[in-house]
Amino acid sequence: MEESKKRVRRSVEERAAELDKKILAHREAIKALEEKKADLFRPKKRRRTEAEISKELISKAKKAGMSSKEIAEKLGLSID
């Protein structure tokens, strides 16, 4: 005849502690998911195109008092 193992009964406190651990793990998972959701609604920085960057550089140079010829000379270009 086989010896049957007796079932070990855990106390109420042990079971409650185990459930508390699970609750804490799920709360952390929920918090991480809420962060991901919030990231979806945050506006992302739009990347500027090369044309936009060039326009901005030229406008800043002109604001600094440079003429088109001076800008071309600095870039090593000749304007006829």
Side-chain angles (χ1 to χ4, degrees):
M1 206 196 270
E2 291 181 28
E3 292 183 31
S4 61
K5 293 184 180 179
K6 289 191 175 185
R7 188 171 146 188
V8 177
R9 292 189 179 237
R10 295 177 294 158
S11 69
V12 174
E13 290 80 16
E14 289 174 332
R15 291 187 296 179
E18 184 178 321
L19 290 174
D20 284 337
K21 285 181 189 177
K22 288 181 180 181
I23 290 170
L24 181 62
H26 286 284
R27 281 187 183 151
E28 290 171 356
I30 289 170
K31 190 175 182 180
L33 290 172
E34 286 175 343
E35 272 296 315
K36 284 184 180 181
K37 180 181 173 184
D39 285 343
L40 290 175
F41 292 105
R42 284 193 194 114
K44 293 182 179 159
K45 276 191 164 181
R46 190 176 72 81
R47 291 187 180 190
R48 296 182 300 174
T49 63
E50 287 293 322
E52 291 172 332
I53 293 170
S54 299
K55 242 184 202 182
E56 187 179 337
L57 287 173
I58 291 170
S59 67
K60 285 185 179 183
K62 286 187 177 185
K63 281 182 185 177
M66 294 177 73
S67 68
S68 298
K69 287 184 180 181
E70 290 174 331
I71 295 170
E73 286 174 9
K74 293 277 184 180
L75 295 174
L77 304 172
S78 62
I79 296 179
D80 294 329

